Amino acid sequence: MTKTPAVLTIAGTDSSGGAGVSADLKTFASIGAHGTCAITSVTSQNTTGVISAFDMPPPIIMDQIDAVCTDMNVQYAKTGMLASAEIVSAVSRYVKKYNLVLVVDPVMAAEAGGELLTTDAMSVIRDELLPLCMVVTPNTNEASALSGIVIQDRNDAKHAAKIIADMGAVNVIITGGHLDASDVVYESKTDTFTVISGEFIEGGTHGSGCTYSAALTAYLAHGHSIVNSARYAKHFVEHAIRESVPIGSGVAPVNQVAHIRNNATRYEVLNETGRAVEILTECLSFANLVPEVSCNIAMAIPDASNVWDVAAVSGRIVKHKGKAVNVGCVEFGASSHVARIILAAMQFDNNVRASVNIKYSMEVLEICKKLNLTISSFDRADEPEKTSTMDWGVTHAIKEHGSVPDIISDAGGIGKEPMVRILGSCAQDVAKTAVKIAKELDKL
Ligand code: PXL
């Protein structure tokens, strides 16, 4: 098994970029497979529906499969939109020719509405393609059309799965987005059912079927079992729906690359915060700015929604033998305090993603003014009951100022140390500001 298997999608294009070949290629790429394609139809569509479809002549589809399979070692392939009986027959012959391990997504309609195959194509899928496939992944509507069973509950789905397996598919996965969000996996060789439970996810679903079957193909190509591939593919598509972007006026396209973007930004934020910690701890005078309750520096990923989206120092930065020392490591969820400051500020300005808390003094505030930093403050005495001080205080200070200031201070309260917080767009920027203040303080 190569690390990056080449996989093939035999499917139609979707001009809106949400479904079909573009969904498949994005999914393959984000699961670490090299995606190749044979285009079967060119659809003109957007998030509100299909306007027209132009079917490729079967010889052109066969040429594309030849081109890919004579050059690359492609073992796994999937089919999507196969609009006509002629196309299904041609594809079936070429699946045999190259002995492809096949996932069939028996696409009937676009998520936004619009038929994508003729009725006789469906019967050729049943008669010629299913006997060649390793897995078929109908949703409940497609499974009903293939099996003739009206699917209203899980037992109906199991019944339909057995009928579809009798048509020749070795494994059948009925995806349950239209039922109770769980998927039914039927492995005919061992006559076993596995139910993979899921939850209804808020979000756009344009391209979800293509994305599911492409993910399944990629996981199989990586050597995972049917059931594990089905689990991972379900998880993948749930995440892609959750992160769908409301582009267009109709059914929003799922976001196949959300998880790699998310991991990439997390990595960048960890690095950025790590470098900021070095800036602070390498500055000898910064020790004078470490508060009694110690210091933390934090940075959030874009669109952060909770403390697990914010990286900080797990054991904080403390003053030890006259030096600022980092006693933990930078990780997500390490600070609820500074994280809350950032999350509250991000409600007003998404670009303010970092903060550090430093020791409060009149001298520090004077220096901030001298450095032309914008300042706002809150008074703990004004805090209403049953609020989180950071949420309330930061929100209050921002509203007073009219925008997110560079500095938010409070003069403390009973048992509460006064504090100065520096806010900014990235951890290194706020660390550099803190170092500037520390150096100015040294001069006094
Ligand atoms: O998700 C089914 C599908 C398959 N193929 C193409 C599509 C769609 C849905 O929109 O456009 C080309």
Side-chain angles (χ1 to χ4, degrees):
M1 188 68 55
T2 63
K3 256 182 161 174
T4 309
V7 290
L8 169 66
T9 173
I10 306 169
T13 63
D14 164 6
S15 48
S16 71
V21 165
S22 42
D24 294 343
L25 294 179
K26 282 185 272 183
T27 304
F28 292 157
S30 65
I31 300 176
H34 175 81
T36 65
C37 64
I39 292 169
T40 55
S41 297
V42 174
T43 75
S44 302
Q45 64 170 303
N46 54 32
T47 59
T48 66
V50 179
I51 296 156
S52 68
F54 173 79
D55 296 340
M56 300 304 279
I60 302 293
I61 301 172
M62 296 187 285
D63 275 357
Q64 295 174 78
I65 301 176
D66 270 336
V68 173
C69 294
T70 53
D71 182 40
M72 297 176 181
N73 176 20
V74 178
Q75 287 172 12
Y76 287 80
K78 68 153 275 191
T79 58
M81 176 185 179
L82 303 174
S84 69
E86 297 71 45
I87 291 178
V88 182
S89 283
V91 168
S92 300
R93 265 187 285 130
Y94 271 59
V95 165
K96 258 194 264 174
K97 177 174 176 184
Y98 290 106
N99 208 11
L100 297 169
V101 181
L102 190 67
V103 173
V104 171
D105 179 11
V107 172
M108 285 167 51
E111 275 87 2
E115 295 302 312
L116 294 175
L117 91 172
T118 58
T119 343
D120 58 338
M122 193 51 141
S123 57
V124 188
I125 287 182
R126 199 186 288 131
D127 299 339
E128 293 184 23
L129 202 56
L130 291 194
L132 300 175
C133 84
M134 186 201 198
V135 199
V136 59
T137 61
N139 59 30
T140 44
N141 292 336
E142 292 155 353
S144 290
L146 282 170
S147 65
I149 300 285
V150 179
I151 301 176
Q152 273 164 345
D153 57 26
R154 193 171 295 161
N155 277 338
D156 297 336
K158 287 184 172 177
H159 187 191
K162 279 206 167 197
I163 293 175
I164 296 167
D166 284 342
M167 294 167 182
V170 185
N171 303 284
V172 181
I173 303 175
I174 301 188
T175 57
H178 304 273
L179 198 63
D180 64 355
S182 50
D183 295 347
V184 171
V185 182
Y186 178 59
E187 295 169 280
S188 71
K189 278 197 180 141
T190 49
D191 192 28
T192 29
F193 282 105
T194 308
V195 174
I196 300 176
S197 57
E199 46 178 315
F200 277 109
I201 311 287
E202 287 283 329
T205 56
H206 184 106
S208 55
C210 307
T211 300
Y212 176 83
S213 52
L216 187 82
T217 311
Y219 286 122
L220 289 170
H222 275 294
H224 299 291
S225 67
I226 294 283
V227 169
N228 279 344
S229 297
R231 284 199 182 101
Y232 303 153
K234 184 168 187 63
H235 182 74
F236 186 93
V237 85
E238 283 179 349
H239 197 261
I241 294 172
R242 196 174 289 118
E243 299 289 334
S244 62
V245 187
I247 290 171
S249 55
V251 182
V254 302
N255 187 347
Q256 296 90 356
V257 296
H259 77 287
I260 40 175
R261 285 292 314 136
N262 191 296
N263 285 337
T265 50
R266 280 176 185 269
Y267 183 71
E268 284 160 18
V269 164
L270 282 180
N271 272 344
E272 171 73 24
T273 312
R275 281 199 292 273
V277 171
E278 281 167 17
I279 291 173
L280 294 178
T281 52
E282 279 166 11
C283 168
L284 285 179
S285 24
F286 181 70
N288 299 325
L289 284 181
V290 175
E292 298 303 321
V293 293
S294 70
C295 157
N296 214 335
I297 184 158
M299 183 168 173
I301 59 168
D303 301 319
S305 62
N306 60 56
V307 296
W308 296 102
D309 292 337
V310 186
V313 182
S314 57
R316 300 194 184 181
I317 296 168
V318 301
K319 189 171 171 177
H320 179 65
K321 294 192 176 164
K323 280 185 175 168
V325 185
N326 158 24
V327 287
C329 60
V330 174
E331 55 190 9
F332 281 95
S335 153
S336 73
H337 193 84
V338 186
R340 275 175 198 288
I341 296 168
I342 297 170
L343 291 168
M346 283 179 89
Q347 298 288 321
F348 295 86
D349 184 346
N350 233 329
N351 291 322
V352 176
R353 285 167 43 209
S355 182
V356 58
N357 66 312
I358 58 171
K359 205 179 182 97
Y360 176 102
S361 68
M362 292 320 282
E363 289 83 1
V364 164
L365 288 178
E366 281 307 316
I367 290 167
C368 291
K369 274 186 212 153
K370 198 177 129 196
L371 293 173
N372 284 329
L373 297 169
T374 53
I375 307 175
S376 187
S377 62
F378 62 89
D379 184 345
R380 285 174 183 267
D382 298 337
E383 182 186 346
E385 276 179 34
K386 292 187 187 146
T387 50
S388 141
T389 307
M390 281 315 112
D391 291 348
W392 169 80
V394 169
T395 304
H396 180 84
I398 293 171
K399 282 186 179 161
E400 287 271 289
H401 187 255
S403 61
V404 181
D406 302 315
I407 304 289
I408 294 181
S409 69
D410 81 281
I414 300 164
K416 295 285 176 191
E417 186 181 2
M419 198 67 65
V420 169
R421 298 130 191 122
I422 307 170
L423 292 108
S425 58
C426 69
Q428 290 198 68
D429 277 2
V430 295
K432 283 176 192 161
T433 304
V435 163
K436 257 192 217 161
I437 296 170
K439 290 195 170 154
E440 288 296 320
L441 196 61
D442 256 2
K443 291 185 200 160
L444 296 182

